[in-house]
Amino acid sequence: MLRPVRFTPGRLSTTPQWLSSLQAKPAASLLRPQLPMKVQLPLQLLPRLFSTFARQKQDVFHSQLEDPSAAAIFSSLQTSPSVPQTLTEKIVQRYSISLPKNKRVRAGDYVTLSPHCLMTHDNSWPVALKFMSIGASKIHDPHQVVMTLDHDVQNKSESNLKKYRQIEEFARKHEVDFYPAGRGIGHQIMVEEGYAWPGTLVVASDSHSNMYGGVGCLGTPVVRTDAASIWATGRTWWQIPPVAKINFTGTLPVGVTGKDVIVALCGLFNNDEVLNHAIEFCGSEETLRSLLIDDRLTIANMTTEWGALTGLFPIDSVLKDWLRSKATEAALYRLSELSDKTTYQRFNHPRLEHLFSSPLSADKGAEYAKEYFLDLSTLSPHVSGPNSVKVATPLDELSLQEIRVDKAYLVSCTNSRASDLTAAANVFRNAAEKNGGVVPKIAKGVTFYIAAASLPEEQAARAAGDWQILLEAGANPLPSGCGPCIGLGTGLLEPGEVGISASNRNFKGRMGSTDAKAYLASPEVVAASALNGRITGPGWYNRPEGWSGVVMGEDDGVKKEDTIVNTQVALETVLNQMSKMITKADKDFEDNSESQLIEISPGFVEKVEGEIVFCDADNINTDAIYPGMFTYQDDVSVKKMARVCMSNYDTRFSSVAQAGDILVAGFNFGCGSSREQAATAILAKKIPLVVAGSFGNIFSRNSINNALMGVEVPRLVHRLRETFSEPKAQESRQGITEPSRNSVPLKSPSSSQDAQQGTTELSSLGVSKYEKLLTRRTGWKLVWDVRRSKIEIQEGEGGPIWSQKISEIPPNVQEIIARGGLESWVKKEIEAAP
């Protein structure tokens, strides 16, 4: 049996040091100690560079705080300790360092974080290369770092095995916790081994770090450069996102799961309502008790697909019961003398009692940017797709279409825990009762793949007999890992095939061919579909009498007549309204004011200009920008990166776009996975600036860290669409659309005819001005005057000229970009440290 390995001689002891002194320490002692740092990142490291709207300015920079003559003035401007905080803000407060005295963090603040833990997976070796390239030789805090191998575990090539050996040797050398290939998916390990601890802030170099919110842990993704910075210094930067509150009412009906909840949320609120927000899920005790921990993990996991940066559940009685069971289980492992099992150091009853004595929760009157509600009792099983999470259809409607299934998947960190395997096995058990006790086989022509989220989850399924039932039905077992969920290994979708999966992401082409269709559903629906050969359910859900649709909308969903209003609640409501009015007034004033010229740091550009190349699509994801087949290849040349840049969006992009062009795209550009090559590939193409209606947060972070500049200018996107799209198409445009060729597979280089079409005047080719082109040379010019924080657009030769103010770039951000990104910045700081 593969067990977690901690490469620390003598690390294990009968009684851990922190546990022996538990009763004498305050609650903060249960968190990882904040060790002194040799290198310090700036407190307010980045502004909202990817925005045209003026943001609330930061209170103060470090240099100002260190000036005694100014410190007294600025200290009087700090947020009052009495200001109520959300649960998100409270957790960030705990892990923010070098805050001004009495500073209470709020959404929008830039903070320097020392996270409780950081997880890296197959990308650990690229992170290690960055770590070593910046001159670091020792991981700052080995207890802060966890390494897992989970993405490409089916790949037995010598190059991949070599990388895995390098990661394991690096982990051994630096004495960090390491989990080998086959042990489980990293996110599942972080939860089941207690690294993702309630009330803490945990990051990982993977976009599904949101999953930790299912156990009350604020989980959010970072990118490889951030990971290297944390290894070297223990710290990184973060801007606290606006916080959205999702209030659940009612209780889940029989036959409806956590997967149905998040699939429905993605499909019902599908106009980017929570894009780049932190989410806090709330509800009455009765409501939340209908959402077990496995349901919560699934919901939190897929808040990534919903566009959010976190998905946080409260520390409540359901979580407490789960934690107690984990502590009991860990104690049993300890008694069995499994000397390499360290789970009991994290899961134990004394630690839990300390946690429960003062659990974190949101303050009454805490301010939320948005509030939505969903009545769980009105929800039915839903299916996502095809090929988009923004399309969710009730199962009873979709099943009428008799959609055939070629492949079914019960894999990934989203829905492959023991409870999910039980649900799938019960579909076949129920069918066996009608088949003389014989477990029926999956439908002819269907291949059903299963892989547990971790080895312990598989062992639990085996002990319950569920694993055997699924194998007897004809399921194909795969090693515990990501596999087909991310388009790696056995069982990918072929052209023309239809797949249904319990995983989290069904972008076109992600799980195989772009000529295939991918749907997402709960484990029981996946199993029933595999059994019947078409998308259907097990029949466990019965629609209530009088049902008229899913009840959802804005605000908290509580009927006013059911609300008991007292003086305190009324006062909190008034104060919140006043706070929002003041914030809006500040923003309006800044938007309408003429900013002074800003200082330009040495080495930073004063002006960027070029011709606009327009990629007219929203939700262009990172798979489309940089093909997944190259993501874990560490030897891709800059020339090749440039050639494949945007090739999964448009194979013609390489021949149409030229060095020095300004790339303009639609809204939510760079959503999806956390691959940093989405930014570096654009740089390899020698494109200095990306402009979009809005950016996916993970892309924004990668861009800054790798010195790719970007700004949000919605007005420019609208003007381009007004000019180059047919009027009728403009009138019928409804919200944000996903590009029809998002994640197209890499094909052969464009033909000379394609190249000619990309660079020749459209009129000479007989192409209409309004003809839909994925990538278009517009003839428009853009000039960004950095010192004046202004862009100027000329709409073609002799065309109208207009300008717009954008957000300032303060000196600390300029310095990072001028040095070539965060990696180079950290390297310089290490070299300059005494």
Side-chain angles (χ1 to χ4, degrees):
M1 180 180 73
L2 294 174
R3 302 191 183 102
V5 179
R6 177 184 285 274
F7 292 124
T8 309
R11 179 74 62 83
L12 295 178
S13 62
T14 303
T15 304
Q17 185 177 359
W18 67 267
L19 181 58
S20 63
S21 56
L22 181 64
Q23 303 301 327
K25 292 182 178 290
S29 68
L30 295 182
L31 308 179
R32 185 181 47 77
Q34 304 294 329
L35 301 177
M37 298 297 305
K38 193 173 183 180
V39 178
Q40 179 165 311
L41 296 177
L43 175 61
Q44 294 87 6
L45 192 59
L46 293 174
R48 176 61 171 172
L49 183 60
F50 289 72
S51 176
T52 61
F53 300 102
R55 304 283 173 164
Q56 187 113 16
K57 289 185 173 60
Q58 293 302 302
D59 295 323
V60 57
F61 288 99
H62 278 302
S63 59
Q64 295 170 315
L65 284 174
E66 293 166 358
D67 180 0
S69 63
I73 297 175
F74 286 117
S75 65
S76 66
L77 301 177
Q78 304 307 318
T79 306
S80 167
S82 62
V83 173
Q85 290 179 307
T86 64
L87 179 57
T88 298
E89 291 165 341
K90 282 190 171 184
I91 294 175
V92 174
Q93 182 88 40
R94 279 190 170 187
Y95 289 90
S96 298
I97 56 180
S98 302
L99 290 174
K101 185 178 180 181
N102 295 327
K103 168 67 179 177
R104 299 264 284 188
V105 302
R106 302 295 302 276
D109 288 347
Y110 287 89
V111 293
T112 299
L113 290 176
S114 182
H116 177 62
C117 284
L118 158 70
M119 186 273 284
T120 57
H121 46 65
D122 290 32
N123 55 24
S124 295
W125 187 242
V127 173
L129 294 176
K130 284 181 176 289
F131 173 81
M132 292 182 284
S133 72
I134 61 179
S137 58
K138 183 180 180 181
I139 288 182
H140 175 78
D141 181 5
H143 291 275
Q144 191 180 26
V145 178
V146 181
M147 296 183 189
T148 67
L149 298 179
D150 60 5
H151 270 53
D152 205 11
V153 296
Q154 297 179 44
N155 184 354
K156 303 301 181 184
S157 68
E158 178 53 35
S159 60
N160 193 59
L161 294 177
K162 178 182 177 181
K163 180 172 72 174
Y164 278 10
R165 288 194 299 270
Q166 289 171 324
I167 294 171
E168 183 172 354
E169 290 166 2
F170 187 89
R172 183 187 303 275
K173 175 182 177 181
H174 291 276
E175 300 183 345
V176 302
D177 287 6
F178 170 79
Y179 293 81
R183 171 56 179 79
I185 301 174
H187 298 308
Q188 177 65 25
I189 289 172
M190 294 295 285
V191 170
E192 71 185 23
E193 291 296 330
Y195 298 105
W197 189 254
T200 67
L201 189 151
V202 173
V203 299
S205 56
D206 187 274
S207 59
H208 286 102
S209 313
N210 298 28
M211 180 173 131
Y212 312 150
V215 290
C217 168
L218 187 64
T220 196
V222 295
V223 296
R224 297 179 182 184
T225 305
D226 294 310
S229 175
I230 294 171
W231 284 7
T233 70
R235 305 177 180 196
T236 190
W237 64 271
W238 201 47
Q239 183 187 21
I240 307 174
V243 186
K245 183 178 181 180
I246 308 300
N247 195 53
F248 291 136
T249 62
T251 57
L252 274 186
V254 174
V256 182
T257 70
K259 186 57 163 277
D260 298 307
V261 173
I262 190 59
V263 166
L265 286 172
C266 290
L268 295 173
F269 297 96
N270 61 359
N271 289 312
D272 293 339
E273 287 89 344
V274 296
L275 179 65
N276 295 333
H277 282 62
I279 291 176
E280 291 184 14
F281 293 106
C282 306
S284 68
E285 182 177 357
E286 180 185 12
T287 293
L288 291 178
R289 288 204 71 83
S290 73
L291 292 172
L292 301 181
I293 294 302
D294 284 0
D295 290 313
R296 299 180 185 194
L297 291 171
T298 297
I299 294 169
N301 182 291
M302 278 191 64
T303 56
T304 300
E305 280 63 45
W306 200 14
L309 302 180
T310 71
L312 185 63
F313 278 86
I315 303 172
D316 63 355
S317 60
V318 175
L319 178 59
K320 291 176 182 178
D321 291 344
W322 181 84
L323 289 168
R324 288 190 175 101
S325 69
K326 293 293 293 183
T328 300
E329 177 186 287
L332 293 175
Y333 274 112
R334 183 186 180 189
L335 292 175
S336 66
E337 298 182 353
L338 296 176
S339 60
D340 58 353
K341 188 77 173 180
T342 62
T343 314
Y344 70 89
Q345 295 184 357
R346 294 176 293 275
F347 282 117
N348 57 75
H349 291 287
R351 189 184 186 199
L352 293 183
E353 293 310 313
H354 210 122
L355 170 68
F356 301 156
S357 66
S358 55
L360 286 179
S361 61
D363 290 328
K364 291 182 178 179
E367 182 179 343
Y368 292 91
K370 298 178 179 180
E371 289 192 43
Y372 299 100
F373 74 90
L374 175 66
D375 185 345
L376 299 182
S377 65
T378 66
L379 200 60
S380 65
H382 274 63
V383 177
S384 171
N387 300 341
S388 174
V389 296
K390 291 193 173 187
V391 178
T393 307
L395 176 63
D396 58 357
E397 294 180 18
L398 199 65
S399 61
L400 297 176
Q401 300 179 27
E402 297 282 335
I403 300 172
R404 66 172 178 79
V405 169
D406 299 290
K407 290 186 172 76
Y409 306 88
L410 183 49
V411 298
S412 88
C413 55
T414 313
N415 275 113
S416 295
R417 283 170 280 279
S419 62
D420 301 313
L421 294 164
T422 296
N426 284 342
V427 171
F428 290 94
R429 284 193 178 95
N430 291 351
E433 292 178 1
K434 303 175 183 178
N435 193 39
V438 178
V439 175
K441 298 293 184 181
I442 59 176
K444 185 178 180 180
V446 177
T447 309
F448 185 20
Y449 296 96
I450 61 173
S454 69
L455 188 57
E457 295 296 313
E458 180 180 328
Q459 291 171 337
R462 287 181 180 275
D466 299 324
W467 193 262
Q468 291 87 332
I469 290 285
L470 295 173
L471 295 182
E472 190 175 346
N476 291 353
L478 297 175
S480 181
C482 301
C485 175
I486 55 170
L488 294 174
T490 302
L492 304 188
L493 289 172
E494 300 293 335
E497 289 189 333
V498 174
I500 186 165
S501 176
S503 54
N504 47 40
R505 192 169 284 167
N506 60 348
F507 293 158
K508 191 178 182 71
R510 177 177 171 85
M511 297 181 68
S513 171
T514 54
D515 293 326
K517 292 183 178 180
Y519 294 85
L520 302 178
S522 67
E524 42 264 70
V525 169
V526 169
S529 301
L531 175 62
N532 292 281
R534 57 184 174 83
I535 295 181
T536 189
W540 298 343
Y541 169 76
N542 291 313
R543 177 166 289 175
E545 270 188 53
W547 182 88
S548 59
V550 178
V551 176
M552 39 76 75
E554 297 186 25
D555 69 50
D556 59 8
V558 179
K559 297 178 181 179
K560 300 306 177 186
E561 58 267 28
D562 295 336
T563 304
I564 301 176
V565 179
N566 56 35
T567 303
Q568 180 181 357
V569 172
L571 181 59
E572 289 170 354
T573 302
V574 171
L575 290 174
N576 272 335
Q577 291 173 345
M578 291 178 62
S579 176
K580 291 178 181 179
M581 291 172 61
I582 293 171
T583 300
K584 183 179 184 301
D586 287 344
K587 178 183 179 301
D588 291 343
F589 175 78
E590 291 182 2
D591 284 349
N592 293 312
S593 64
E594 186 69 25
S595 301
Q596 297 180 349
L597 297 180
I598 66 170
E599 293 293 328
I600 301 295
S601 297
F604 194 78
V605 296
E606 293 195 28
K607 185 176 292 185
V608 180
E609 56 185 311
E611 180 178 347
I612 291 174
V613 171
F614 185 36
C615 292
D616 187 8
D618 300 319
N619 301 301
I620 297 177
N621 59 59
T622 52
D623 293 83
I625 300 170
Y626 190 77
M629 67 181 73
F630 300 112
T631 301
Y632 295 101
Q633 295 181 22
D634 301 326
D635 57 351
V636 179
S637 67
V638 172
K639 183 177 180 180
K640 188 172 184 179
M641 289 186 75
R643 182 173 68 82
V644 303
C645 177
M646 299 291 289
S647 60
N648 267 5
Y649 164 71
D650 182 5
T651 56
R652 295 177 54 256
F653 180 87
S654 179
S655 61
V656 175
Q658 301 173 7
D661 285 339
I662 306 299
L663 172 60
V664 179
F667 292 82
N668 199 22
F669 181 80
C671 57
S673 67
S674 59
R675 66 193 64 173
E676 68 175 6
Q677 297 98 323
T680 57
I682 293 174
L683 286 170
K685 188 63 179 171
K686 298 184 179 178
I687 292 174
L689 174 67
V690 181
V691 180
S694 62
F695 290 93
N697 182 271
I698 201 72
F699 179 84
S700 302
R701 190 173 191 92
N702 269 320
S703 296
I704 298 278
N705 285 351
N706 288 280
L708 173 65
M709 295 178 289
V711 292
E712 290 178 351
V713 190
R715 179 185 175 189
L716 175 57
V717 176
H718 293 313
R719 281 294 300 135
L720 286 165
R721 285 176 170 167
E722 289 169 1
T723 304
F724 295 106
S725 298
E726 292 187 35
K728 289 183 179 180
Q730 281 298 317
E731 293 173 7
S732 63
R733 180 181 291 274
Q734 295 182 354
I736 291 176
T737 57
E738 187 163 349
S740 60
R741 294 185 63 184
N742 220 357
S743 291
V744 185
L746 183 64
K747 298 180 180 178
S748 59
S750 302
S751 66
S752 58
Q753 182 179 357
D754 285 339
Q756 183 183 13
Q757 184 176 356
T759 56
T760 307
E761 290 292 333
L762 294 179
S763 58
S764 67
L765 292 172
V767 178
S768 166
K769 169 184 176 181
Y770 298 123
E771 183 170 332
K772 175 69 174 181
L773 295 176
L774 293 176
T775 306
R776 178 191 295 271
R777 295 199 69 81
T778 63
W780 293 22
K781 302 293 183 182
L782 181 148
V783 178
W784 178 18
D785 187 334
V786 178
R787 190 178 292 277
R788 288 177 173 79
S789 301
K790 182 178 73 173
I791 64 162
E792 183 178 274
I793 305 295
Q794 179 169 6
E795 298 183 358
E797 187 174 351
I801 298 174
W802 55 272
S803 62
Q804 180 169 333
K805 296 289 292 183
I806 62 174
S807 57
E808 298 178 0
I809 307 179
N812 52 0
V813 178
Q814 295 180 34
E815 182 181 2
I816 291 171
I817 295 177
R819 287 185 176 181
L822 183 62
E823 183 179 339
S824 298
W825 186 91
V826 174
K827 182 177 182 179
K828 292 290 185 182
E829 293 300 305
I830 290 175
E831 292 172 352

